[in-house]
């Protein structure tokens, strides 16, 4: 069936920031539903949540598009400083929603050409983000490509408040790739000590301990949980929350 010319998108890509996100352990959960039918409702809730998060992320003002398919989400928007920092915040909120369902995710943000509409997503930026997520990111985190990091630093350098925000949102390490700070929401001491924050941190601890137990004989998967355990323990120690969030000893 021919598509009317007026309905076709322009024959070119738009330069965009694009985040590709993959929910970890989803395939294992699907396999378990054969013998544990009660997990079907968990899977359903997760997929509904993913779709809802994608749809709610769309914004005509910032040009945000979002798509979800199975256990993956793609969010993209045109190049701009406010848009990039907003994308970081969206992903942080998304991580908290998945945490509430007992799930972790991994992803990557790339910069490049893409054609992203309500119904279609493709382009070099998607390929790069997918490759970074599957081959480089490794751990439960959302990494930044070098051009994305450079742009974020450039935008943040325009004001002291933006610099502070950047340092809260992004983690840099001379021996590792840059990635979004999973603990951004709790960076302020007065926030970290609130009962709701402590409860979320303890939920995260339970998820990690369960993942370590269930994957004791699967070293590739277990290493992802060990990495997350180290991150959590370091954060808890930095906020002096040891009495409220017990240290994970299993790794």
């Amino acid at each position: 069936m021919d598509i009317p010319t007026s309905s076709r998108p322009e024959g070119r890509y738009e330069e965009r920031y694009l985040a590709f996100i993959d929910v970890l352990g989803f395939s294992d959960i699907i396999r378990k539903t054969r013998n544990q039918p009660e997990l079907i409702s968990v899977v359903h809730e997760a997929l509904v949540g993913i779709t809802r998060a994608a749809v709610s992320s769309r914004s005509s003002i910032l040009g945000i598009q979002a798509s979800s398919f199975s256990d993956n989400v793609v969010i993209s928007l045109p190049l701009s400083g406010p848009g990039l920092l907003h994308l970081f915040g969206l992903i942080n909120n998304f991580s908290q929603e998945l945490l509430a369902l007992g799930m972790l995710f991994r992803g990557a943000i790339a910069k490049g050409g893409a054609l992203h509409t309500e119904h279609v997503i493709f382009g070099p930026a998607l390929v790069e983000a997918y490759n970074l997520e599957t081959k480089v990111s490794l751990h439960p985190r959302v990494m930044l490509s070098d051009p994305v990091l450079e742009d974020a630093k450039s935008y943040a350098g325009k004001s002291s408040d933006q610099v502070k925000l950047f340092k809260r949102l992004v983690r840099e390490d001379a021996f590792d790739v840059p990635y979004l700070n999973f603990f951004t929401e709790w960076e302020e001491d007065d926030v970290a000590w609130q009962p709701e924050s402590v409860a979320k941190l303890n939920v995260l601890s339970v998820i990690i301990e369960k993942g370590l137990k269930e994957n004791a004989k699967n070293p590739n998967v277990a290493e992802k949980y060990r990495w997350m355990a180290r991150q959590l323990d370091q954060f808890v120690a930095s906020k002096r929350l040891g009495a409220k969030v017990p240290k994970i000893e299993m790794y």
Side-chain angles (χ1 to χ4, degrees):
M1 177 179 176
D2 291 336
I3 301 175
T5 303
S6 60
S7 301
R8 293 173 181 163
E10 294 186 39
R12 60 183 178 83
Y13 292 127
E14 179 183 19
E15 289 296 302
R16 300 177 73 88
Y17 295 119
L18 185 146
F20 177 87
I21 298 168
D22 176 53
V23 179
L24 296 176
F26 206 81
S27 296
D28 290 336
I29 295 175
I30 295 296
R31 282 193 289 270
K32 290 177 181 177
T33 58
R34 296 174 181 174
N35 300 317
Q36 302 178 50
E38 66 275 10
L39 289 178
I40 293 176
S41 61
V42 176
V43 172
H44 178 263
E45 185 178 358
L47 290 177
V48 169
I50 289 170
T51 303
R52 186 187 302 117
V55 171
S56 64
S57 297
R58 292 174 183 151
S59 167
S60 58
I61 297 175
L62 289 173
I64 298 174
Q65 283 290 352
S67 306
S68 65
F69 37 97
S70 185
D71 56 335
N72 303 126
V73 174
V74 177
I75 304 173
S76 77
L77 73 171
L79 306 185
S80 77
L84 181 57
L85 295 179
H86 183 68
L87 178 60
F88 291 171
L90 282 177
I91 293 173
N92 185 63
N93 292 339
F94 187 46
S95 71
Q96 301 303 318
E97 291 186 25
L98 282 179
L99 175 59
L101 294 172
M103 298 179 179
L104 300 175
F105 69 76
R106 183 178 64 205
I109 304 176
K111 174 185 177 182
L115 197 161
H116 196 178
T117 70
E118 184 177 348
H119 305 291
V120 175
I121 168 63
F122 65 91
L126 177 60
V127 173
E128 181 182 2
Y130 172 79
N131 285 334
L132 290 173
E133 184 273 324
T134 55
K135 300 175 182 178
V136 182
S137 188
L138 299 179
H139 304 301
R141 59 186 177 180
V142 176
M143 67 164 290
L144 313 181
S145 70
D146 288 341
V148 171
L149 176 64
E150 291 173 7
D151 284 0
K153 286 183 174 181
S154 175
Y155 299 140
K158 295 178 180 179
S159 74
S160 58
D161 287 342
Q162 294 285 57
V163 170
K164 291 178 182 177
L165 178 61
F166 171 80
K167 290 182 178 179
R168 286 180 57 200
L169 289 170
V170 178
R171 285 286 175 264
E172 291 186 89
D173 187 328
F175 303 100
D176 201 355
V177 298
Y179 58 92
L180 294 184
N181 177 19
F182 187 85
F183 302 102
T184 295
E185 179 182 347
W186 308 301
E187 280 294 345
E188 299 296 332
D189 289 341
D190 58 337
V191 173
W193 278 82
Q194 292 179 5
E196 182 181 356
S197 298
V198 172
K200 286 184 178 181
L201 291 170
N202 276 295
V203 167
L204 178 57
S205 179
V206 170
I207 293 171
I208 294 171
E209 288 189 355
K210 182 180 179 183
L212 287 169
K213 288 179 181 178
E214 293 181 348
N215 295 282
K217 296 183 179 180
N218 189 342
N220 288 336
V221 176
E223 177 53 33
K224 295 178 176 62
Y225 286 98
R226 281 194 290 270
W227 183 87
M228 199 68 207
R230 291 191 291 269
Q231 298 297 309
L232 176 60
D233 284 347
Q234 289 172 11
F235 177 78
V236 168
S238 71
K239 298 300 179 183
R240 304 175 301 283
L241 287 169
K244 297 179 178 292
V245 184
K247 180 178 176 63
I248 299 174
E249 302 288 354
M250 296 175 59
Y251 63 94

